Amino acid sequence: MRVGLIVDSACDLPHEFATKHGLFILPVTAIINGETYIDTHDPVLTQQFYQSGLLEKGHHAETEAFSVEQIHDLFIEKIVPEYDIAICETVTRSRSQIYQNASDAMHTVMANYEVARKASGRAGKFSMRVIDSKQIFAGQGLLAAHTLKLIKQKVSKNALKYEVETFSDNIFTCVIPRDIHYIRERARRRGDKSVSAVAAFLGKALNLTPVIFGQGVEGKPVAKTFNFDIAVERVMSYAASRVEAGLLTPYVSLSCGLSWDEIEALPGLDLLRETCERNNVELLLSQMGITSSIYVGPGSICLSLAAEPHEFQDYQ
């Protein structure tokens, strides 16, 4: 029985890792300065966007979920003929329409998959689940990596859904926004008031760089630094210490809205790499995708790991 995992373009993972494990990427539409692009997490296109400066502030950028019809067609053409069981993990439903559209598409697929199944020559029944990851970016990537581990262990269909949804609550994420004004403006256009104008003003007036920490998307500022590099170093130190203390899955996911040269120069990255290697933990280091970068702003960093309940300050 062949099990396939689907993630959307908000999920940040190394391209090599995604390719090796046969992840199917559900695209997201990016609209920049009125031009439409389809984000499939292609590394060449992503690199072109970083080099072009289209992701910098001053450009009007939005993301849009694929429609129910578009997702239905992708599932029928690409998923039904290839897999017996498909798991689709989406970016948190509180921040995107993707979960709802994928769920609606799943229902139409389940009612009409037999013809496509028969035409492909694949015998037997087909089943599918759409799961709200309750995560963003690196957190969604971490959940996908753990899900692939469960699939490799041949966990049953029903147990897989339960394990994934339960495990998601154990993921802790740090976000370092490079420009809090960018996030506030994006949130304002979406009608999300979670980032206040006062916080944005303070960030500009005092040149503060916050570290936002929490479970899934329920984060809060836990540190305010006067320097981006200091914030990065604190997050790397936290992650290294938490790796030493033990994780619930052998992965740390780190996505960065930077060029690869800038990523390799990040303070504390070598420490985190060495700590992960010493503890048999795989560091899933990736360049932040177009969708993620539009959402949180270029230059930002997102790190996720899974562990027992704790606070950021416990590992400083």
Side-chain angles (χ1 to χ4, degrees):
M1 189 167 289
R2 192 159 184 235
V3 183
L5 179 60
I6 305 160
V7 296
D8 58 57
S9 294
C11 177
D12 284 335
L13 276 171
H15 178 69
E16 298 78 12
F17 183 90
T19 301
K20 175 183 176 182
H21 293 282
L23 280 181
F24 182 85
I25 307 297
L26 177 60
V28 172
T29 301
I31 305 169
I32 305 175
N33 295 337
E35 294 289 327
T36 299
Y37 305 86
I38 303 302
D39 180 16
T40 60
H41 245 305
D42 175 77
V44 175
L45 179 62
T46 301
Q47 187 62 28
Q48 289 174 352
F49 268 77
Y50 278 99
Q51 292 172 347
S52 69
L54 282 175
L55 296 179
E56 300 293 337
K57 61 184 177 181
H59 297 279
H60 184 83
E62 296 289 344
T63 57
E64 187 177 281
F66 262 33
S67 69
V68 175
E69 293 75 15
Q70 286 175 304
I71 298 175
H72 168 92
D73 291 346
L74 279 174
F75 286 170
I76 285 290
E77 294 170 12
K78 304 293 185 181
I79 302 301
V80 170
E82 292 293 326
Y83 302 102
D84 303 302
I85 300 172
I87 303 293
C88 178
E89 296 175 354
T90 74
V91 66
T92 176
R93 67 195 303 180
S94 66
R95 295 292 188 270
S96 172
Q97 187 67 24
I98 297 173
Y99 170 82
Q100 189 59 55
N101 288 2
S103 296
D104 291 345
M106 176 194 69
H107 293 309
T108 61
V109 166
M110 291 305 298
N112 300 282
Y113 74 80
E114 289 91 348
V115 174
R117 190 85 167 163
K118 185 176 181 180
S120 70
R122 195 166 190 89
K125 297 287 186 180
F126 172 79
S127 65
M128 189 173 193
R129 295 285 188 277
V130 176
I131 297 174
D132 174 8
S133 74
K134 295 181 281 188
Q135 308 296 325
I136 54 173
F137 320 146
Q140 196 181 350
L142 183 75
L143 183 64
H146 183 71
T147 303
L148 289 167
K149 182 169 172 283
L150 294 174
I151 290 172
K152 188 175 181 180
Q153 294 172 351
K154 300 187 183 303
V155 174
S156 70
K157 178 177 64 176
N158 291 333
L160 181 61
K161 182 176 184 293
Y162 173 79
E163 291 289 341
V164 168
E165 291 179 332
T166 303
F167 182 82
S168 182
D169 294 330
N170 297 313
I171 296 177
F172 291 81
T173 294
C174 297
V175 175
I176 307 175
R178 197 62 178 258
D179 184 349
I180 198 168
H181 283 268
Y182 180 99
I183 295 178
R184 184 180 70 86
E185 180 60 22
R186 280 274 296 143
R188 185 189 65 78
R189 291 200 294 266
R190 294 193 313 271
D192 182 351
K193 298 179 181 179
S194 59
V195 182
S196 71
V198 173
F201 172 77
L202 288 174
K204 181 179 182 181
L206 302 178
N207 195 31
L208 291 176
T209 300
V211 174
I212 301 169
F213 171 82
Q215 290 173 276
V217 294
E218 302 303 321
K220 61 183 179 180
V222 292
K224 294 179 181 178
T225 68
F226 290 93
N227 182 284
F228 181 76
D229 284 351
I230 293 174
V232 172
E233 197 160 21
R234 290 191 66 175
V235 167
M236 297 294 185
S237 175
Y238 151 77
S241 298
R242 187 59 252 194
V243 169
E244 292 281 12
L247 301 177
L248 298 179
T249 198
Y251 304 103
V252 172
S253 181
L254 173 61
S255 66
C256 311
L258 302 164
S259 70
W260 278 108
D261 287 343
E262 291 171 320
I263 291 172
E264 290 299 334
L266 287 172
L269 179 59
D270 287 343
L271 168 66
L272 180 57
R273 268 202 180 112
E274 292 165 4
T275 306
C276 286
E277 289 177 7
R278 189 168 61 250
N279 289 273
N280 297 314
V281 170
E282 185 173 358
L283 177 61
L284 301 170
L285 177 62
S286 65
Q287 191 172 49
M288 193 172 279
I290 295 169
T291 298
S292 309
S293 195
I294 288 175
Y295 188 96
V296 75
S300 301
I301 286 177
C302 184
L303 180 144
S304 295
L305 51 78
E308 298 292 345
H310 64 280
E311 298 294 333
F312 182 82
Q313 290 82 357
D314 296 341
Y315 294 92
Q316 292 294 292

